[in-house]
C-alpha cells in the first residue's frame, strides 16, 4: 500500500482529492491521510485517516508525514514556511502542488508571488514534483453571489473572456498524477474547455438558478476603489484589472491539458454553474 497525504483536505479542491483517492484506493493500493486543524470537526470518507497539523506550524506536520509516499499540497495564502517543504522532502518521494499560472523563475530572479517561491523551494527539494497551474477557478465567481441574488452584477470588463476551470477537474488531475507514473517535472496548465465572458458567465449562472440576472459594466476606476477596500492590496487589484482588460481583446488561453491527462474534455462552466446553483440562491 502507498500512503498519500492530502494537505488542504477540506478545501474546494482538496475535499474532492480526498474522496476520489478514497474511492479508488482499494484498486490502486492507496491509503489516504488528511491533514486537518481539528480532526474532531471534520467528516471524511470511510477509511481516510485524519491527522492534526497546521502549515503555519511546520513541526506539527511530522506525525502526518510518517510513512507517506506522496503529498498533495495546497498552500492557503499563508506566509511561506521553508521548513514545510523540507519536512515533506524528508519523508515523501512525490509532491503535487496546486499552483497557479506563473512563469518559471530564472536563476537569481526574485519571485513576484508566493506560488513562485513555493515552486522554487519544491524544485530544490529533491522530490519528484508536479505543478498543477490552474489558470483560475470557476469558484471565484461565487464572489458575485450576493449581487446575483439581487438580480444584477456590477463588475468591470463584461467582455473579458475567461477560461475558468471546474475544481473537480483539478482534483481529478491531481488524483491521476498521484496514482500513475510519468508526471515528475510536469507543469500542467489547467483550464476549462472554452473562454467565456464575464457577462456570459453571469447569464449562465442565472439560467442555472432559473432567473434573469443582468450585467452592468462597472467603470474600472470605481472597481479599483471598491476592490482595494475589499481586498486590501492595491497592487493585486491593479494586476487583476489589467488582466481583465487584456482579456477583452485577447481571450484567456485554453489548454487541452485536462483532456490529455484524463481522456475526456474538462467540465464546462455551465456544468459548474449547475453544480453550484444552490450557492447562488
Amino acid at each position: 500500500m502507498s500512503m498519500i497525504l492530502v494537505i488542504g483536505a477540506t478545501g474546494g479542491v482538496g475535499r474532492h482529492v480526498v474522496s476520489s483517492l478514497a474511492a479508488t484506493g482499494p484498486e490502486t493500493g492507496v491509503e489516504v491521510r488528511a491533514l486537518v486543524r481539528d480532526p474532531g470537526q471534520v467528516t471524511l470518507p470511510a477509511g481516510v485517516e485524519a491527522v492534526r497539523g497546521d502549515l503555519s506550524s511546520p513541526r506539527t506536520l511530522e506525525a502526518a508525514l510518517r510513512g507517506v509516499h506522496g503529498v498533495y499540497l495546497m498552500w492557503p495564502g499563508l506566509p511561506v514556511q521553508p521548513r514545510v517543504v523540507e519536512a515533506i522532502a524528508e519523508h515523501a518521494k512525490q509532491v503535487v502542488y496546486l499552483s497557479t499560472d506563473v512563469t518559471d523563475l530564472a536563476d537569481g530572479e526574485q519571485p513576484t508571488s508566493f506560488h513562485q517561491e513555493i515552486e522554487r523551494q519544491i524544485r530544490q527539494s529533491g522530490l519528484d514534483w508536479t505543478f498543477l497551474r490552474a489558470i483560475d477557478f470557476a469558484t471565484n465567481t461565487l464572489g458575485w453571489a450576493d449581487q446575483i441574488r439581487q438580480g444584477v452584477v456590477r463588475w468591470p470588463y463584461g467582455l473579458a473572456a475567461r477560461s475558468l476551470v471546474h475544481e473537480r477537474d483539478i482534483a481529478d488531475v491531481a488524483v491521476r498524477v498521484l496514482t500513475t507514473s510519468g508526471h515528475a517535472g510536469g507543469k500542467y496548465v489547467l483550464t476549462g474547455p472554452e473562454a467565456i465572458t464575464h457577462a456570459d458567465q453571469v447569464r449562465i449562472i442565472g439560467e442555472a438558478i432559473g432567473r434573469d440576472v443582468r450585467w452592468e459594466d462597472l467603470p474600472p476606476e470605481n472597481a479599483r476603489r471598491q476592490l482595494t477596500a475589499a481586498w486590501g492590496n492595491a497592487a493585486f487589484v491593479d494586476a487583476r484589472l489589467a488582466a481583465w482588460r487584456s482579456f477583452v481583446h485577447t481571450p484567456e488561453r485554453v489548454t487541452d491539458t485536462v483532456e490529455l491527462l484524463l481522456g475526456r474534455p474538462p467540465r464546462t462552466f455551465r456544468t459548474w454553474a449547475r453544480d453550484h446553483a444552490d450557492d447562488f440562491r
Side-chain angles (χ1 to χ4, degrees):
M1 298 294 285
S2 176
M3 176 68 74
I4 294 176
L5 174 65
V6 179
I7 298 177
T10 59
V13 176
R15 62 191 177 90
H16 294 297
V17 174
V18 169
S19 60
S20 293
L21 285 172
T24 61
E27 298 176 5
T28 57
V30 168
E31 294 180 311
V32 189
R33 183 179 292 165
L35 184 79
V36 295
R37 291 183 177 180
D38 186 352
Q41 297 298 313
V42 299
T43 301
L44 298 169
V48 176
E49 178 188 7
V51 179
R52 187 186 306 274
D54 191 332
L55 286 183
S56 64
S57 180
R59 61 182 178 79
T60 66
L61 304 182
E62 293 298 324
L65 285 166
R66 290 192 193 107
V68 162
H69 173 83
V71 174
Y72 167 82
L73 174 62
M74 191 282 292
W75 203 289
L78 297 168
V80 176
Q81 296 269 7
R83 179 56 192 153
V84 169
V85 174
E86 293 171 2
I88 292 172
E90 289 170 4
H91 293 272
K93 301 295 184 184
Q94 175 193 27
V95 63
V96 176
Y97 171 53
L98 178 55
S99 188
T100 191
D101 188 25
V102 296
T103 57
D104 293 337
L105 290 174
D107 291 341
E109 184 180 0
Q110 291 301 307
T112 58
S113 71
F114 74 90
H115 289 292
Q116 284 183 316
E117 174 58 29
I118 295 167
E119 283 194 7
R120 176 156 63 187
Q121 291 182 20
I122 290 172
R123 286 174 186 270
Q124 297 171 348
S125 68
L127 288 157
D128 287 341
W129 53 263
T130 307
F131 301 147
L132 306 185
R133 292 175 170 174
I135 207 159
D136 210 346
F137 295 1
T139 50
N140 287 340
T141 62
L142 291 172
W144 293 334
D146 287 342
Q147 295 188 74
I148 284 172
R149 294 183 192 108
Q150 298 300 315
V152 57
V153 173
R154 299 176 178 87
W155 200 256
Y157 301 114
L159 296 180
R162 309 294 315 282
S163 55
L164 306 179
V165 61
H166 197 305
E167 67 275 8
R168 292 191 63 182
D169 283 332
I170 302 171
D172 288 349
V173 168
V175 170
R176 178 62 56 87
V177 172
L178 285 161
T179 58
T180 61
S181 61
H183 303 287
K187 295 174 284 189
Y188 297 144
V189 179
L190 309 179
T191 75
E194 59 185 332
I196 301 175
T197 67
H198 282 157
D200 279 343
Q201 290 166 31
V202 167
R203 177 182 55 79
I204 290 168
I205 292 169
E207 291 172 357
I209 63 175
R211 61 176 299 180
D212 291 331
V213 184
R214 291 188 297 110
W215 175 275
E216 288 186 8
D217 250 22
L218 183 66
E221 59 273 16
N222 294 356
R224 180 175 289 105
R225 288 193 296 269
Q226 292 181 18
L227 295 176
T228 300
W231 296 347
N233 186 327
F236 179 74
V237 170
D238 286 342
R240 288 286 79 200
L241 289 171
W244 296 335
R245 183 175 62 249
S246 73
F247 297 146
V248 171
H249 303 290
T250 305
E252 194 167 38
R253 63 177 165 152
V254 173
T255 70
D256 59 357
T257 309
V258 171
E259 185 163 9
L260 288 174
L261 290 170
L262 301 181
R264 61 158 178 82
R267 294 171 173 90
T268 65
F269 185 79
R270 188 176 298 277
T271 296
W272 180 89
R274 290 170 179 162
D275 290 344
H276 289 270
D278 287 344
D279 296 324
F280 291 101
R281 292 191 172 110

